[in-house]
């Protein structure tokens, strides 16, 4: 070992070695494989839990190196991802001369092996379901498969040791990894290292692998801080804006701009302190498949003044730069990455991290924090300014701060602790033969040792297994035919008759002869509609003032995540023209019955007239930006104008007459007031409840009701602001109602849909003849409530629905 360990690293090493030594003594005294496995189950597995940056690899390397001097052992070192194999191999070669890193791809031979040999690989390469992926399980001309290598090593007297780096990513759901570990590796010694263990995963690991006692050694954050291994704190920066201003703020650009300023200050502080180090700024982009987030981040960084050659990027799909090379190459100032690189990557040059994506998951928050917690070797043991004692995370979305604060709470909860040797095993001599026995209450069980079985999840689940035969292919008749054929021969004649009756259908005649409705459709031409929207769109002083602003003030909230100290200051966030243009485009495309280019031209013409009326000077590009800002700040302007104009210019047309009869399966439920005298089969639970209320009317208010199916030639349709047709669920003929020839349109909505999709437009839609439909929601109590839109543009329950009030709806 080249680097001297600090106090807590040495204590963790000594503690783990004392446990392994005890297990080794019992294993070597045991007479057979079953007894050796018993000893390993109690004292052969150690978990080291320590903050990222505290030197977990250092501690694991010290343990494996020193133990290899005392025991004849070969180590298999597993990293969670392929990108970390080289990182671990280089660290072991550089720091631990007593370990010999071997190439697992081409050097899988038992001959020539010596104690302290280490094979570094991933679980995916040995335990994947795909045979092509797990090539190490196949023998070649010059290399054995791992399945053959491990028994060969044991025949030469070697023990097998396993090191699992970032252990929480290995055994939580990886069935193949567990199977390989228990059936092929069968290690006598296992060392797990992690920053974020989950107790449930630890318990599951113990159950599935037959580990009786897992010894946990923990290192606190404060110990690592005192040793100068990690930074004193992490400051999380988020940006808060009032609801009416949020649409203006380009939060990702604000976070990048702020991070760039701090990055430049760090560079200057390092120079002032005489430390020759280029800091690294990390930019974590979203995992969206639709947008090229990496390219966008590169462009934004270029706008901020970063040289193109100083920016590196790495994603799972596009690993364009080598991670280790970026970490060491100080010509690179910025690394853009997605989620996977946040797991285990060493970036000691990193002081700042910009997060464009969510970090609500606590474990992932720990990994993100871990990327900037480390203290670079050139700063260790030195007095540095306050700015250099902290890491900085800049969040594009303030709501995602929970993952970071949750990570801090979890890290703070770790207290330094050592583990004791398990006293539950002892070697006893029975009839001249040694046995490893379990001790309970100071007494040996004196029971034969049984090998721990690996649970079979499929067999042990206790879940019943059902075989399903046949397929549905043609409606009620085929289903019933299949049902009858599947019945036993001993079925009764009565059952046959019932099945035959159910398989038939009946026709239900229309009880109101010649019934037909009026429907709305959009006109073929759009010139009049465009002119109407251009005239009705509400562009006044307030809208113009918002459109002419260049920056907006937000609150910059800086929180030290470990101490929860919060500092709020004002921050001038830049308005990004590209982002504003993108958002404005979405507004222009909303009325899909209009060409957005034609709509844009009409709005520019209207805006120009407002400028001229006020004596403002303008050019084409300025008008475009002002219009974009107005559309983003007031997205309902076009929707409101389009609603009024669609209602004004929608054509009222005769729908086709209702069919003279309806064919439904025999046995369909009767309805007293439905126009066909039957309950339609496509009603959901809430709609059936409403239909039952209509049928139960004895006051004579309801004359009849009809299910208004969508997109039928005879359906009633209303035009929404986006040009789509809206088909309310029910048409009710209300005796004494003056509006709409006595017809009332009714729409039923579940409470979870009140403010989703186009429901906000539907509640305001109005038919030229039948007027505005009434929207209803059924409460848990069973009663129906009418829905209205409040002053904030949200739909909410208004009053209890009653049949006698339908005359005035």
């Amino acid at each position: 070992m080249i680097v001297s360990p600090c106090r807590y690293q040495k204590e963790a090493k000594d503690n783990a070695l004392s446990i392994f030594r005890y297990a080794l003594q019992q294993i070597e005294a045991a007479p057979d494989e079953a007894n050796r496995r018993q000893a390993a189950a109690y004292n052969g597995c150690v978990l080291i839990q320590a903050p990222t940056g505290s030197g977990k690899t250092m501690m694991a390397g010290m343990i494996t190196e020193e133990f290899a001097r005392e025991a004849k052992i070969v180590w298999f070192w597993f990293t969670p991802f392929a990108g970390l194999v080289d990182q671990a191999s280089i660290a072991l070669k550089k720091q631990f001369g007593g370990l010999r890193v071997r190439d697992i791809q081409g050097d899988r031979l038992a001959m020539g092996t010596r104690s302290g040999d280490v094979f570094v690989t991933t679980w995916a390469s040995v335990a994947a379901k795909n045979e092509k992926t797990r090539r190490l399980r196949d023998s070649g001309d010059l290399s054995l498969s791992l399945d053959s290598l491990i028994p060969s090593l044991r025949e030469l007297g070697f023990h097998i040791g396993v090191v699992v780096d970032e252990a929480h990513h290995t055994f939580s759901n990886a069935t193949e990894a567990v199977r390989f570990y228990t059936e092929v590796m069968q290690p006598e010694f296992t060392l797990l290292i992690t920053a974020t263990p989950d107790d449930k995963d630890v318990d599951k690991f113990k159950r599935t692998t037959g580990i009786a006692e897992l010894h946990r050694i923990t290192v606190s954050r404060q110990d690592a801080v005192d040793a100068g291994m990690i930074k004193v704190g992490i400051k999380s920066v988020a940006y808060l804006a009032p609801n009416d201003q949020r649409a203006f703020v380009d939060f990702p650009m604000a976070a990048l701009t702020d991070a760039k300023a701090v990055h430049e200050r760090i560079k200057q502080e390092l120079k002032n302190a005489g430390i020759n180090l280029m800091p690294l700024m990390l930019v974590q982009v979203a995992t969206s498949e639709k947008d090229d987030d990496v390219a966008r981040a590169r462009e934004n960084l270029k706008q901020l003044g970063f040289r193109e050659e100083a920016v590196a990027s790495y994603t799972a799909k596009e690993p364009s730069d080598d991670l280790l090379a970026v970490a060491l190459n100080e010509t690179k100032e910025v690394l853009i990455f997605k989620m996977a690189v946040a797991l285990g990557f060493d970036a000691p040059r990193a002081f700042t991290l910009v997060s464009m994506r969510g970090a609500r998951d606590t474990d992932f928050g720990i990994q993100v924090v871990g990327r900037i917690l480390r203290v670079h070797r050139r700063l260790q043991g030195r007095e540095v300014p306050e700015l250099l004692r902290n890491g900085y995370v800049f969040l594009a979305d303030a709501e995602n701060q929970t993952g970071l604060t949750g990570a801090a709470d979890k890290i703070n909860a770790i207290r330094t602790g050592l583990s004791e040797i398990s006293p539950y095993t002892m070697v006893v001599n029975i009839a001249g033969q040694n046995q490893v026995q379990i001790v309970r209450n100071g007494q040996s069980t004196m029971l034969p040792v049984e090998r721990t079985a690996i649970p079979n999840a499929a067999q042990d689940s206790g879940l019943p297994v059902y075989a399903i035969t046949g397929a549905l292919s043609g409606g009620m008749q085929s289903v019933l035919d299949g049902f009858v054929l599947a019945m036993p021969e001993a079925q009764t004649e009565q059952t046959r008759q019932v099945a035959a009756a159910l398989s038939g259908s009946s026709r239900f005649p229309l009880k109101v002869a010649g019934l037909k409705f009026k429907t709305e459709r959009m006109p073929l031409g759009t010139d009049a509609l465009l002119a109407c929207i251009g005239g009705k769109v509400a562009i006044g002083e307030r809208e113009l003032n918002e459109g002419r602003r260049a920056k907006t003030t937000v609150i910059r909230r800086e929180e030290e995540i470990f101490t929860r100290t919060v500092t709020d200051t004002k921050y001038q966030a830049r308005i990004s023209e590209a982002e504003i243009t993108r958002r404005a485009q979405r507004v222009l495309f909303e009325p899909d019955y209009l060409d957005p280019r034609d709509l844009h031209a009409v709005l520019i013409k209207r805006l120009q007239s407002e400028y001229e009326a006020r004596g403002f000077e303008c050019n084409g590009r300025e008008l475009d930006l002002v219009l974009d800002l107005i559309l983003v700040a007031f997205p309902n302007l076009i929707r409101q104008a389009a609603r009024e104009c669609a209602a004004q210019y929608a054509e009222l047309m005769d729908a086709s007459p209702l069919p003279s009869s309806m064919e439904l399966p025999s046995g369909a439920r009767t309805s007293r007031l439905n126009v066909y005298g039957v309950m339609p089969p496509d009603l959901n639970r809430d709609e059936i409840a409403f239909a039952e209320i209509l049928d139960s009317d004895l006051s004579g208010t309801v004359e009849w009701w009809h299910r208004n199916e969508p997109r039928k030639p005879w359906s009633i349709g209303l035009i929404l602001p986006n040009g789509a047709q809206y088909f309310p669920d029910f048409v009710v003929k209300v005796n004494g109602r003056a509006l709409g020839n006595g017809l009332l349109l009714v729409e039923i909505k579940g409470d979870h849909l009140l403010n989703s999709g186009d429901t906000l437009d539907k509640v305001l839609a109005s038919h030229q003849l039948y007027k505005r439909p009434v929207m209803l929601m059924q409460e848990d109590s069973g009663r129906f409530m009418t829905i209205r839109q409040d002053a904030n543009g949200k739909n909410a329950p208004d009053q209890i629905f009653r049949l006698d009030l339908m005359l005035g709806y």
Side-chain angles (χ1 to χ4, degrees):
M1 184 182 63
I2 297 174
V3 178
S4 299
C6 56
R7 176 187 53 79
Y8 69 82
Q9 292 173 334
K10 187 177 184 303
E11 289 177 350
K13 183 246 326 181
D14 291 342
N15 188 194
L17 286 173
S18 67
I19 296 168
F20 282 170
R21 286 171 184 143
Y22 185 86
L24 177 65
Q25 180 185 8
Q26 292 191 333
I27 288 170
E28 293 189 339
D32 54 35
E33 177 63 19
N35 280 272
R36 286 191 287 272
R37 286 178 63 82
Q38 189 81 305
Y42 278 87
N43 286 294
C45 189
V46 173
L47 168 69
I48 297 179
Q49 177 183 356
T52 300
S54 60
K56 294 188 295 297
T57 302
M58 175 78 167
M59 289 181 273
M62 291 191 297
I63 294 167
T64 54
E65 181 184 48
E66 188 165 333
F67 194 59
R69 297 193 188 104
E70 305 174 22
K72 191 176 180 181
I73 187 169
V74 174
W75 292 101
F76 290 83
W77 191 298
F78 291 95
T79 69
F81 308 107
L84 301 180
V85 170
D86 287 344
Q87 176 177 292
S89 298
I90 291 172
L92 294 176
K93 289 177 181 179
K94 184 177 180 180
Q95 300 295 337
F96 303 101
L99 297 175
R100 183 174 65 166
V101 178
R102 293 174 60 180
D103 179 11
I104 198 169
Q105 298 295 332
D107 186 18
R108 300 192 302 275
L109 290 175
M111 185 175 296
T113 298
R114 71 186 189 196
S115 184
D117 281 359
V118 181
F119 293 96
V120 183
T121 185
T122 65
W123 288 108
S125 65
V126 298
K129 291 182 178 179
N130 187 338
E131 292 184 3
K132 292 182 179 179
T133 304
R134 48 178 186 152
R135 294 174 182 174
L136 301 181
R137 306 289 294 278
D138 298 325
S139 295
D141 293 337
L142 299 177
S143 294
L144 296 172
S145 69
L146 286 181
D147 301 60
S148 300
L149 175 62
I150 291 168
S152 297
L153 291 173
R154 283 202 164 95
E155 288 177 3
L156 293 175
F158 288 98
H159 298 295
I160 301 299
V162 168
V163 178
V164 185
D165 194 1
E166 303 289 347
H168 53 287
H169 295 294
T170 300
F171 296 112
S172 57
N173 296 306
T175 304
E176 292 299 318
V178 173
R179 190 180 304 279
F180 180 78
Y181 175 89
T182 53
E183 295 182 359
V184 179
M185 300 295 297
Q186 298 183 17
E188 289 89 349
F189 302 96
T190 300
L191 180 61
L192 310 174
I193 52 178
T194 180
T196 57
D198 186 289
D199 288 338
K200 292 181 180 178
D201 290 340
V202 170
D203 291 339
K204 181 179 179 181
F205 169 71
K206 290 172 61 178
R207 290 195 308 272
T208 55
T209 58
I211 297 295
E213 186 79 13
L214 192 151
H215 299 267
R216 187 181 297 222
I217 300 171
T218 56
V219 176
S220 71
R221 181 182 73 90
Q222 193 58 50
D223 272 353
V225 170
D226 293 343
M229 299 293 293
I230 64 175
K231 297 181 178 73
V232 172
I234 297 294
K235 295 186 177 181
S236 169
V237 180
Y239 309 91
L240 311 176
N243 290 336
D244 61 344
Q245 297 294 320
R246 286 184 61 84
F248 282 110
V249 182
D250 184 356
F251 288 103
M253 196 62 178
L256 280 174
T257 304
D258 201 0
K260 170 68 159 51
V262 174
H263 175 76
E264 293 297 331
R265 287 171 53 205
I266 289 171
K267 285 169 62 176
Q268 188 60 47
E269 289 283 10
L270 287 168
K271 183 178 179 181
N272 294 343
I275 301 172
N276 183 23
L277 178 68
M278 173 61 72
L280 181 66
M281 176 172 152
L282 302 177
V283 179
Q284 178 202 18
V285 297
T287 55
S288 168
E289 296 291 336
K290 297 181 180 179
D291 298 326
D292 191 348
D293 299 301
V294 173
R296 186 182 303 173
R298 280 186 176 274
E299 181 59 32
N300 288 339
L301 290 165
K302 185 178 178 181
Q303 291 180 27
L304 291 174
F306 284 104
R307 294 174 295 108
E308 188 172 345
E309 59 271 20
V311 179
S313 63
Y314 189 96
T315 66
K317 289 187 176 180
E318 300 177 0
S320 53
D321 291 279
D322 184 85
L323 284 176
L324 290 175
V326 172
L328 299 173
N329 184 359
E330 296 190 34
T331 65
K332 301 295 185 182
E333 287 192 63
V334 183
L335 171 63
I336 305 170
F337 68 95
K338 289 192 177 182
M339 177 175 177
V341 75
L343 302 171
F345 170 53
D346 285 340
R349 287 197 295 128
F351 283 84
T352 54
L353 185 149
V354 181
S355 179
M356 305 294 185
R357 68 177 299 278
R360 296 177 184 176
D361 177 71
T362 296
D363 289 342
F364 184 65
I366 290 175
Q367 291 295 331
V368 169
V369 168
R371 304 290 65 79
I372 57 174
L373 260 181
R374 304 174 192 273
V375 173
H376 196 278
R377 291 194 181 280
R378 296 177 202 168
L379 277 71
Q380 291 179 12
R382 302 184 58 156
E383 285 294 329
V384 295
E386 180 66 22
L387 184 69
L388 303 182
R389 291 165 56 81
N390 294 281
Y392 304 86
V393 179
F394 300 86
L395 300 172
D397 188 346
E399 294 181 2
N400 294 330
Q401 208 162 18
T402 56
L404 298 178
T405 53
D409 292 342
K410 193 168 184 177
I411 293 172
N412 276 339
I414 301 172
R415 296 290 181 265
T416 297
L418 302 179
S419 181
E420 295 181 356
I421 295 169
S422 173
Y424 302 127
T425 58
M426 60 182 296
V427 178
V428 297
N429 190 285
I430 301 176
Q433 183 180 9
N434 289 339
Q435 284 193 9
V436 178
Q437 292 289 330
I438 302 172
V439 178
R440 290 286 185 266
N441 299 320
Q443 298 294 321
S444 171
T445 57
M446 302 299 288
L447 294 174
V449 177
E450 295 184 0
R451 186 165 179 163
T452 305
I454 303 169
N456 185 315
Q459 295 176 357
D460 297 345
S461 64
L463 296 175
V465 179
Y466 299 96
I468 301 175
T469 59
L472 305 181
S473 58
M476 178 73 77
Q477 183 65 51
S478 62
V479 173
L480 289 168
D481 288 346
F483 170 73
V484 172
L485 289 172
M487 295 180 71
E489 292 296 328
Q491 61 186 332
T492 64
E493 182 60 28
Q494 181 181 6
T495 305
R496 290 181 183 276
Q497 293 174 358
V498 171
L502 287 175
S503 66
S505 62
S506 300
R507 301 194 70 85
F508 297 87
L510 180 66
K511 298 195 294 185
V512 184
L515 186 60
K516 66 178 182 178
F517 306 118
K518 295 283 188 180
T519 189
E520 292 182 344
R521 293 177 185 171
M522 291 299 298
L524 294 177
T526 60
D527 291 346
L529 272 172
L530 287 166
C532 176
I533 291 173
K536 286 186 177 293
V537 66
I539 298 179
E541 295 297 334
R542 184 178 65 145
E543 289 75 22
L544 287 173
N545 288 337
E546 293 291 347
R548 289 163 63 86
R549 69 163 53 191
K551 289 187 177 182
T552 187
T553 301
V554 299
I555 298 298
R556 181 186 189 272
R557 174 158 294 171
E558 182 177 286
E559 179 176 0
E560 208 297 311
I561 65 173
F562 295 113
T563 63
R564 297 296 184 95
T565 303
V566 176
T567 304
D568 285 351
T569 56
K570 290 184 178 181
Y571 184 79
Q572 288 294 309
R574 217 166 63 173
I575 295 175
S576 168
E577 294 185 15
E579 183 65 22
I580 292 296
T581 299
R582 251 191 311 273
R583 297 183 187 184
Q585 290 277 336
R586 290 201 292 265
V587 178
L588 288 171
F589 273 85
E590 187 174 305
D592 54 12
Y593 58 97
L594 298 175
D595 188 317
R597 292 168 296 185
D598 295 338
L599 180 58
H600 182 266
V602 166
L603 295 172
I604 285 290
K605 183 178 179 181
R606 168 63 189 280
L607 183 60
Q608 189 168 6
S609 70
E610 297 293 337
Y611 262 57
E612 292 172 354
R614 291 165 175 79
F616 295 160
E617 293 184 2
C618 64
N619 55 54
R621 179 60 195 137
E622 181 185 346
L623 279 180
D624 284 340
L625 179 58
V626 170
L627 177 60
D628 288 346
L629 286 166
I630 290 174
L631 294 180
V632 171
F634 307 101
N636 287 326
L637 285 182
I638 290 182
R639 187 178 294 118
Q640 180 60 36
R643 179 182 293 113
E644 295 178 16
C645 294
Q648 180 177 337
Y649 285 93
E651 297 176 350
L652 191 65
M653 305 177 63
D654 284 331
S656 299
L658 263 64
S660 59
S661 64
M662 177 184 294
E663 184 175 356
L664 291 174
S666 296
R669 182 178 170 185
T670 301
S671 168
R672 187 171 70 90
L673 296 179
N674 179 267
V675 292
Y676 290 99
V678 66
M679 193 71 74
D682 62 338
L683 300 182
N684 63 33
R685 183 189 62 183
D686 293 346
E687 291 165 348
I688 291 174
F690 178 71
E692 289 173 343
I693 291 176
L694 297 178
D695 276 347
S696 65
D697 174 46
L698 301 178
S699 67
T701 300
V702 179
E703 185 174 333
W704 51 259
W705 63 270
H706 168 62
R707 166 64 160 175
N708 187 43
E709 297 175 275
R711 288 174 290 278
K712 298 293 185 183
W714 52 83
S715 301
I716 298 176
L718 289 73
I719 299 299
L720 294 175
N722 63 2
Q725 277 189 302
Y726 156 42
F727 302 91
D729 296 319
F730 292 90
V731 183
V732 183
K733 179 60 183 298
V734 181
N735 283 318
R737 178 175 168 83
L739 296 174
N741 294 336
L743 299 187
L744 175 67
L745 306 180
V746 179
E747 173 79 358
I748 308 297
K749 283 292 179 188
D751 58 354
H752 61 292
L753 298 173
L754 282 188
N755 289 286
S756 63
D758 54 7
T759 307
L760 294 171
D761 287 328
K762 287 182 177 180
V763 78
L764 298 177
S766 182
H767 190 278
Q768 294 182 51
L769 175 60
Y770 305 127
K771 306 309 175 186
R772 181 174 293 179
V774 60
M775 183 176 289
L776 301 178
M777 177 200 77
Q778 188 178 30
E779 294 182 327
D780 292 340
S781 64
R783 72 180 183 183
F784 282 87
M785 300 291 293
T786 62
I787 302 301
R788 67 174 179 84
Q789 198 163 102
D790 60 24
N792 295 321
K794 298 293 185 181
N795 291 341
D798 184 23
Q799 56 182 285
I800 300 172
F801 168 79
R802 294 195 345 233
L803 290 175
D804 61 314
L805 297 179
M806 288 197 298
L807 280 72
Y809 286 148

